[in-house]
Amino acid sequence: MTADAVPGRRELHFPSGADRCHAWLYLPVADATTGPPPVVVMAHGLGAVKTLRLAAFAERFRDAGYACLVFDYRHFGDSEGRPRELLSIRRQRADWHAAIACARSLPEVDGDRVVLWGTSFGGGHAITTAAEDPGVVATIAQCPFVDGLASARQLSPRSTARLGVAAVRDQIARLLGRSPVRVKVAARPGEIGLMDAPDVTDGFLTLLAASGLTEEEARNAVPARVAFEIPVHRPGRQARHVRCPILFCVCDHDSVAPAEATLRHAAGAPRGEIKRYPAGHFDIYTGDHFERMVADQIAFLDAHVSASVAA
């Protein structure tokens, strides 16, 4: 573990597969009367990295008394892994379990009170991981990707066909040992991408600006082969197997992870709670929607995890 340039957090690495994931560790001010704090394990969405506004959420959780372990998936951000920006569902799910193992090993936190927090594609991973790990005490799935087919239907038939061609070309390149054929994650009209709804470009640019990043600095392209995985990926089906309290934060105007699919799966979670927001997929990272959502999430944590009293 090393010191970070940002006050109040530290950098660390943890192993996942043959590589290492990079993470930020946020710790609240120590309080001898309460003992080690619960820890929230956090990761981003489709092709995204922790520098895209995850610090804003982690800082609020820390100020409310929760430790946070915020990590980049392998192949992304500051984590290791080649080729860069490889979007592998299987590897990302393994990264979540590795991050939980890391969190439970940290002496500064209460390893028996691990919370999962995932947004967008990471929200789907959080659901699946909570279903697989009975030791998780609470989960927050923010505008979660729950149904690949429902999300794929947001693309036009022409866009779907072009994306399929790119995926075939990428698979051939992989078999021949060539560089990946890449597609945009957030695509402008006319570009080949995983998301191309009308509000995607403006939402992505707003998220970049709020994170202090430019479009040139963003790695907004991934190997196209993931296009074969996404339509059949349905993590929402695991919601009925999540035994801990789970909060679904649903954006009613979500053009990436449709609200109808999320609400349908959330209804099957035994201890599920739902909060709805009159917002689009990218709106909840800034402004009033962010303020309302993070306040609801802290209230959920205080009700079910408690930053002040160990279970």
Side-chain angles (χ1 to χ4, degrees):
M1 191 180 299
T2 60
D4 196 347
V6 176
R9 79 181 187 202
R10 284 181 282 172
E11 294 184 70
L12 58 84
H13 290 88
F14 59 85
S16 186
D19 298 303
R20 297 189 305 163
C21 291
H22 181 273
W24 294 329
L25 176 63
Y26 292 81
L27 294 171
V29 175
D31 186 341
T33 65
T34 61
V39 56
V40 184
V41 176
M42 304 175 62
H44 221 309
L46 193 71
V49 294
K50 62 184 184 298
T51 51
L52 292 175
R53 283 289 287 175
L54 291 199
F57 290 91
E59 288 167 2
R60 292 297 185 88
F61 296 149
R62 178 198 60 199
D63 293 346
Y66 300 89
C68 295
L69 182 72
V70 189
F71 72 95
D72 281 330
Y73 301 110
R74 281 176 288 173
H75 306 278
F76 286 90
D78 296 315
S79 293
E80 299 174 349
R82 297 285 176 179
R84 298 307 297 165
E85 290 78 51
L86 176 65
L87 211 168
S88 165
I89 293 172
R90 176 180 58 83
R91 292 189 182 200
Q92 290 192 354
R93 287 177 58 181
D95 294 343
W96 273 91
H97 286 289
I100 293 171
C102 173
R104 287 177 173 150
S105 74
L106 296 172
E108 303 97 332
V109 308
D110 183 350
D112 291 329
R113 288 188 291 165
V114 172
V115 177
L116 306 187
W117 183 101
T119 187
S120 190
F121 210 64
H125 289 324
I127 295 168
T128 300
T129 307
E132 294 172 342
D133 189 331
V136 169
V137 298
T139 301
I140 296 172
Q142 176 175 285
C143 56
F145 175 100
V146 298
D147 189 315
L149 186 58
S151 291
R153 285 174 177 156
Q154 305 307 301
L155 295 172
S156 69
R158 181 172 182 269
S159 296
T160 300
R162 295 176 69 198
L163 185 58
V165 170
V168 170
R169 291 177 56 218
D170 185 42
Q171 288 285 31
I172 293 172
R174 180 181 65 84
L175 292 172
L176 296 177
R178 296 175 180 171
S179 298
V181 175
R182 295 175 181 266
V183 295
K184 291 291 185 71
V185 178
R188 286 185 166 86
E191 295 179 329
I192 304 175
L194 303 178
M195 301 182 290
D196 69 351
D199 63 332
V200 164
T201 299
D202 287 345
F204 180 65
L205 292 176
T206 299
L207 178 56
L208 285 177
S211 306
L213 299 172
T214 66
E215 193 171 2
E216 290 71 27
E217 292 172 313
R219 307 282 294 189
N220 180 29
V222 298
R225 68 197 71 167
V226 73
F228 290 134
E229 295 186 65
I230 288 176
V232 296
H233 182 49
R234 304 184 74 182
R237 289 180 169 181
Q238 298 303 311
R240 65 183 184 274
H241 301 302
V242 177
R243 299 303 170 187
C244 66
I246 178 169
L247 175 64
F248 296 87
C249 296
V250 182
C251 297
D252 286 335
H253 308 305
D254 199 320
S255 64
V256 175
E260 294 81 4
T262 303
L263 294 170
R264 183 174 67 253
H265 288 293
R271 302 178 67 186
E273 299 179 21
I274 298 170
K275 292 287 186 179
R276 299 178 66 171
Y277 307 87
H281 189 78
F282 291 93
D283 294 336
I284 43 73
Y285 296 99
T286 59
D288 291 341
H289 292 304
F290 164 78
E291 295 294 342
R292 179 183 167 194
M293 187 171 286
V294 76
D296 287 343
Q297 292 174 1
I298 290 171
F300 169 81
L301 293 175
D302 288 346
H304 295 289
V305 182
S306 177
S308 59
V309 180

